[in-house]
């Protein structure tokens, strides 16, 4: 028992590094999407975002490789086995089910188009598992179905208004598709294994970038995202004229109050999101006080 604990304890530093990298890329992508250039190396939000992203994509990777053994190439091409197709087909179903639940937690349950699509995929997957078909037809339909959701959500991302929820669904489908492709085209050989690891790393890092740039703004802060209650800040009289020279001027009230969303707080400055497409930073010393009106869910 002690030997096993010692063995797995050695993985803790690697896991910590992995979480840090996920969080760092996510926060960097988020800030760059607003044109903010900050040194974030020691920002605590990195750890928070790394853990959140690990929770979001980690189970999808686990489901995709749940029966995969390193060094076992019995499921390799040239012929893809029925067992592998069935495994990946089931993994897709579990991935969709997980996606629906986590999107309900992060974005609340609403039957919008992305959610209806995911639910439809889940029903189709269940039907393919239950309806008796010839082995060849069953293999073809399940194999075809494994890749379809990726292209459906890619089209939705390109053609329809983007939302955090369909971004989350696409992120899950993207990670799943990468994992499924690696399993289907699994081969023996050092060169191929290196390329496989490279593709997996690229997928995870690009997932971090997608998460930071497109999803963080829609995930509530209480779950680790950046969607926050709008807060009112009261500007010090001595600094009022300086702030009036910026794009914040139209939003300053009669009592020197400023009610806008803060998209980032680095400890020294606030970064305010100013409609339609501007970000203004002011030192915290310019603010005398602040207040927030809580919603029912926050009381």
């Amino acid at each position: 028992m002690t030997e096993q604990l010692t063995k797995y304890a050695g993985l803790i530093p690697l896991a910590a590094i992995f979480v840090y990298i996920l969080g760092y890329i996510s926060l960097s992508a988020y800030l760059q999407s607003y044109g903010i250039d900050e040194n974030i190396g020691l920002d605590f939000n990195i750890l928070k975002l790394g853990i959140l992203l690990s929770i979001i994509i980690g189970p999808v990777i686990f489901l995709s490789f749940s029966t995969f053994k390193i060094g076992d190439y019995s499921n390799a091409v040239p012929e893809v086995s029925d067992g592998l197709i069935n495994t990946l087909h089931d993994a897709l179903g579990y991935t969709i089910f997980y996606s629906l639940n986590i999107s309900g937690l992060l974005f609340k349950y609403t039957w919008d188009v992305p959610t209806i699509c995911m639910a439809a995929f889940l029903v189709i997957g269940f039907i393919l598992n239950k309806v008796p078909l010839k082995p060849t037809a069953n293999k073809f339909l399940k194999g075809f179905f494994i890749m379809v959701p990726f292209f459906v959500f890619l089209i939705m991302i390109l053609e329809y208004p983007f939302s955090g929820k369909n971004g989350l669904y696409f992120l899950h489908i993207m990670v799943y598709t990468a994992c499924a492709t690696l399993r289907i085209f699994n081969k023996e050989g050092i060169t191929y294994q290196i390329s496989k690891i490279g593709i997996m790393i690229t997928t995870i890092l690009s997932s971090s970038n997608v998460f930071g740039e497109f999803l963080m703004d829609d995930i509530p802060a209480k779950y680790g995202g950046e969607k926050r209650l709008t807060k009112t800040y009261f500007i010090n009289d001595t600094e009022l004229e300086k702030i009036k020279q910026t794009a914040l001027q139209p939003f300053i009230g009669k009592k020197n109050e400023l009610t806008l969303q803060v998209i980032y707080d680095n400890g020294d400055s606030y970064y305010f999101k100013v409609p339609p497409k501007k970000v203004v930073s002011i030192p915290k010393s310019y603010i005398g006080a602040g207040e927030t009106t809580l919603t029912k869910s926050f009381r």
Side-chain angles (χ1 to χ4, degrees):
M1 181 67 176
T2 305
E3 292 180 358
Q4 288 182 331
L5 290 175
T6 303
K7 177 182 177 181
Y8 290 113
L11 297 175
I12 294 177
L14 291 176
I17 293 172
F18 180 72
V19 168
Y20 179 86
I21 292 173
L22 291 181
Y24 184 88
I25 295 174
S26 298
L27 185 56
S28 295
Y30 172 72
L31 295 180
Q32 287 298 324
S33 69
Y34 284 108
I36 299 174
D37 186 15
E38 279 281 345
N39 181 9
I40 61 169
L42 298 178
D43 195 317
F44 176 75
N45 288 315
I46 290 176
L47 179 60
K48 177 188 69 174
L49 293 171
I51 293 172
L52 176 62
L53 186 54
S54 297
I55 292 171
I56 288 175
I57 67 172
V60 177
I61 297 172
F62 174 77
L63 288 169
S64 302
F65 289 97
S66 57
T67 59
F68 179 73
K69 296 179 181 178
I70 296 175
D72 176 12
Y73 301 104
S74 60
N75 59 358
V77 291
E79 183 175 340
V80 179
S81 68
D82 295 337
L84 176 59
I85 290 294
N86 287 330
T87 298
L88 290 174
H89 173 82
D90 292 343
L92 177 60
Y94 290 125
T95 294
I96 291 174
F97 187 71
Y98 178 71
S99 298
L100 288 169
N101 281 281
I102 200 168
S103 72
L105 175 67
L106 298 178
F107 303 112
K108 298 183 179 180
Y109 283 106
T110 52
W111 287 99
D112 48 13
V113 174
T115 301
I116 292 172
C117 285
M118 287 297 266
F121 289 136
L122 193 61
V123 171
I124 293 171
F126 178 78
I127 291 173
L128 287 177
N129 268 340
K130 295 299 180 181
V131 175
L133 297 167
K134 292 182 179 180
T136 305
N138 183 59
K139 181 177 176 181
F140 172 79
L141 288 175
K142 284 186 175 180
F144 180 74
F145 177 70
I146 284 171
M147 301 300 175
V148 166
F150 173 80
F151 294 103
V152 169
F153 272 92
L154 181 60
I155 292 171
M156 287 186 63
I157 292 292
L158 296 175
E159 296 293 331
Y160 292 93
F162 185 86
S163 70
K165 188 184 288 187
N166 69 5
L168 176 67
Y169 291 147
F170 180 68
L171 179 63
H172 276 165
I173 296 298
M174 181 179 74
V175 173
Y176 167 80
T177 304
C179 294
T181 303
L182 290 176
R183 289 207 62 183
I184 289 172
F185 294 100
N186 185 29
K187 295 178 181 178
E188 190 170 5
I190 295 176
T191 302
Y192 191 83
Q193 294 307 305
I194 291 174
S195 67
K196 182 173 73 172
I197 293 171
I199 292 172
M200 196 69 246
I201 291 175
T202 302
T203 301
I204 293 173
L205 296 185
S206 61
S207 299
S208 304
N209 193 77
V210 170
F211 173 77
E213 187 166 353
F214 298 109
L215 269 71
M216 276 175 56
D217 253 345
D218 293 309
I219 296 177
K222 63 180 179 179
Y223 295 126
E226 292 297 326
K227 184 178 181 180
R228 303 173 185 275
L229 294 171
T230 301
K231 190 173 181 178
T232 298
Y233 297 87
F234 295 92
I235 305 166
N236 291 329
D237 292 335
T238 54
E239 314 295 349
L240 185 60
E241 290 305 316
K242 296 179 183 177
I243 295 179
K244 283 185 175 181
Q245 304 305 312
T246 71
L248 293 173
Q249 195 273 335
F251 302 94
I252 300 174
K254 295 180 179 179
K255 298 180 180 179
N256 295 353
E257 76 274 16
L258 186 64
T259 303
L260 284 172
Q261 181 186 356
V262 172
I263 58 173
Y264 185 62
D265 171 4
N266 68 358
D268 297 319
S269 301
Y270 289 119
Y271 286 85
F272 288 97
K273 183 178 180 180
V274 181
K277 293 183 178 181
K278 285 191 177 181
V279 173
V280 178
S281 66
I282 63 173
K284 285 189 174 182
S285 60
Y286 285 22
I287 305 296
E291 66 180 20
T292 304
T293 302
L294 298 179
T295 62
K296 184 176 180 180
S297 61
F298 279 79
R299 291 174 187 169

